[in-house]
Structure formats: C-alpha cells, structure tokens
Amino acid sequence: FTTWCPHCKNYSNVFADPRVAEQAKGFVMIRADADKNEALASKYAPDGGYIPRTCFLKPDGSMMADIKAKDGKFQYFFDETRAEPLLAAMDKAKSASRVR
C-alpha cells in the first residue's frame, strides 16, 4: 500500500469485515508501505509494482504464487470493495499450508 493511494484506502476497509478479521487470526499479517519499503515492495511484485497488492507467503518468505486475485494483469489486486475474493484466497492459503 501507500498512504496516497485511493485504492489502498478503499481496500483497507475490506480488512474491517468481521469475516476477514476472524480468518486473519490464522495468518501473520504484514502491511508494508511501498514508498517506505521499496526493496520489499519490489521483491513481491512478480507482475508489476502496482498497489495495493496482496501476496500470501510460505514460512520461508517465498510467495504462494498460485494464490491470486485473478489471472492476467494485476494478479494480486483483490477487489477493494468486497471481502469474498480475499476470503476465498485465505481459504486456499490455509488449505495449501496444511498439505505437506
């Protein structure tokens, strides 16, 4: 995210959804300002440096690249007005982490 991005501000409201808040208890959530953490932002930008983008990571810090908002351009840009796409991705990440 960045502090100046209107999409980031909209997307932050998705995290206020009680369903997302409950699911988040099973994750380590990191919110990084792309302007202040350029190296980190570029590390997790496999399809470009747009914002906001949400990535799911493995314990070793590598991306779970198959957990996306959508295919095509802006693959990690989740709907900024609805929680359902993010909740589906969270379910997928939890399931993937159980399989070893």
Side-chain angles (χ1 to χ4, degrees), residues 3-4 14 16-18 24 27 32 36 40 42 51-52 54 61 88-89 93 97 99:
T3 57
W4 51 264
V14 169
D17 184 298
F27 292 87
K36 294 180 181 176
L40 182 64
S42 64
I51 51 168
T54 300
S97 67
V99 177

Side-chain angles (χ1 to χ4, degrees), residues 43-44 56-64 100:
K43 179 178 180 179
Y44 297 109
F56 290 86
L57 308 178
K58 298 175 187 175
D60 67 3
S62 63
M63 280 184 63
M64 300 174 93
R100 298 197 185 233

